């Protein structure tokens, strides 16, 4: 099944061009002409990635991005910006966007950004094999929709937190060093050079998912080695 890309763009000729170009590259495309429709489509059409124009008639792309994250959607979002100050905003605000492109851009550039974001988000893990969801304690990680619930309520995670969580829970009882996690979760092209980043993200996962983050049951520190997910709880 092709990956569905949600294209959020109010200018019809631009939207048509993107739809045509992405379909030619083997993607399925859903187009939304405004923020409200974009949120509806993101909830119902299960896209694998969102291409999100910053300037929309009803609300800004920044607000759409923020709302998607608040609703617990962890799929990759690429912002489409028109000016440098918008780029500053994408980078400066902690919106939870994964990447951005500046108009005008070539289709080739866009497609390579899309593929890179999909690779980072879904990696080698195909949704076709493996379990659909993983449970531990009162937490459910839905690997299809990429949503995480605890005690029945959606837990908002950043895309990086989700990737780290997915990597740990799909490899139970394996010990991963910080370097290995940086490479797998953050990617080779990451500018992250500090292994402390891994510690901070593990701490965030504990705070969001453990009953007592100070004495974790699921996300275990292995002294001198790294981290391990304990599927039965310590
Ligand atoms: Ca626009």
């Amino acid at each position: 099944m092709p990956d569905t890309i949600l294209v959020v763009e109010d200018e019809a000729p631009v939207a048509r061009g993107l739809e045509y170009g992405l379909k030619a590259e083997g993607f399925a495309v859903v187009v939304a002409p405004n923020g409200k429709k974009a949120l509806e489509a993101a909830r119902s059409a299960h896209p694998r990635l969102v291409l999100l124009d910053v300037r929309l008639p009803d609300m800004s792309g920044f607000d759409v991005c923020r709302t998607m994250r608040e609703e617990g959607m962890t799929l990759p979002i690429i912002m489409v910006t028109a000016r440098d100050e918008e780029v500053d905003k994408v980078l400066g605000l902690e919106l939870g966007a994964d990447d951005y492109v500046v108009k005008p851009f070539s289709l080739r550039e866009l497609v390579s950004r899309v593929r890179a974001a999909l690779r980072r988000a879904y990696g080698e893990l195909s949704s076709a094999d493996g379990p659909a969801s993983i449970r531990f304690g009162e937490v459910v990680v839905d690997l299809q929709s990429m949503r995480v619930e605890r005690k029945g309520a959606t837990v908002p995670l950043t895309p990086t937190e989700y990737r780290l969580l997915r990597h740990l829970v799909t490899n139970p009882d394996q010990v991963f060093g910080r370097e290995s996690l940086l490479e797998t979760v953050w990617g080779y092209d990451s500018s992250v050079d500090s292994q402390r980043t891994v510690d901070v993200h593990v701490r965030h996962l504990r705070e969001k998912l453990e009953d007592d983050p100070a004495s974790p049951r699921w996300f275990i520190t292995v002294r001198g080695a790294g981290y391990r997910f304990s599927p039965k709880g310590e």
Side-chain angles (χ1 to χ4, degrees):
M1 236 179 48
D3 286 333
T4 299
I5 313 285
L6 171 59
V7 173
V8 186
E9 172 63 71
D10 55 312
E11 289 160 74
V14 178
R16 269 200 302 275
L18 286 172
E19 185 176 10
Y20 181 84
L22 288 167
K23 280 184 173 166
E25 292 287 333
F27 296 105
V29 176
V30 173
V31 176
N34 58 48
K36 188 167 170 282
K37 291 233 165 78
L39 290 169
E40 285 168 11
R43 292 174 195 128
S44 62
H46 304 296
R48 296 276 275 176
L49 179 143
V50 183
L51 209 53
L52 179 55
D53 192 26
V54 167
R55 292 177 184 215
L56 297 168
D58 57 339
M59 57 200 283
S60 88
F62 298 126
D63 292 332
V64 176
C65 181
R66 207 175 279 123
T67 304
M68 287 177 176
R69 293 305 185 219
E70 281 167 6
E71 289 188 11
M73 298 179 198
T74 51
L75 79 177
I77 299 176
I78 299 180
M79 305 294 299
V80 179
T81 61
R83 291 193 313 219
D84 285 349
E85 60 253 44
E86 291 173 354
V87 173
D88 292 343
K89 229 172 157 184
V90 173
L91 298 175
L93 300 175
E94 299 219 336
L95 290 169
D98 291 80
D99 200 0
Y100 65 91
V101 290
V102 183
K103 284 178 175 175
F105 49 81
S106 72
L107 187 66
R108 219 174 105 198
E109 181 196 350
L110 179 74
V111 167
S112 87
R113 297 291 190 95
V114 167
R115 290 200 198 285
L118 287 171
R119 254 197 321 274
R120 278 199 303 273
Y122 304 102
E124 67 294 347
L125 286 171
S126 154
S127 56
D129 39 68
S133 67
I134 289 175
R135 287 166 184 272
F136 54 95
E138 292 176 289
V139 177
V140 182
V141 182
D142 187 324
L143 299 168
Q144 306 291 321
S145 67
M146 297 166 63
R147 278 172 191 274
V148 179
E149 286 188 356
R150 178 165 181 259
K151 299 182 179 174
T154 299
V155 180
L157 295 181
T158 68
T160 307
E161 287 166 0
Y162 178 77
R163 286 201 294 273
L164 175 62
L165 172 67
R166 185 190 57 191
H167 186 63
L168 290 171
V169 300
T170 53
N171 295 284
D173 282 327
Q174 285 186 46
V175 180
F176 294 100
R178 291 173 179 79
E179 217 162 302
S180 143
L181 289 171
L182 270 179
E183 201 171 285
T184 317
V185 176
W186 278 260
Y188 297 104
D189 57 346
S190 169
S191 60
V192 178
D193 56 3
S194 163
Q195 301 198 7
R196 225 178 73 80
T197 302
V198 176
D199 300 338
V200 170
H201 280 78
V202 171
R203 197 182 72 220
H204 289 165
L205 284 184
R206 285 173 175 159
E207 284 164 1
K208 291 179 179 181
L209 302 175
E210 295 269 3
D211 285 332
D212 182 4
S215 61
R217 294 187 60 202
W218 318 104
F219 303 99
I220 310 299
T221 304
V222 182
R223 218 164 269 289
Y227 294 103
R228 171 174 68 84
F229 170 66
S230 169
K232 297 201 176 75
E234 303 280 294

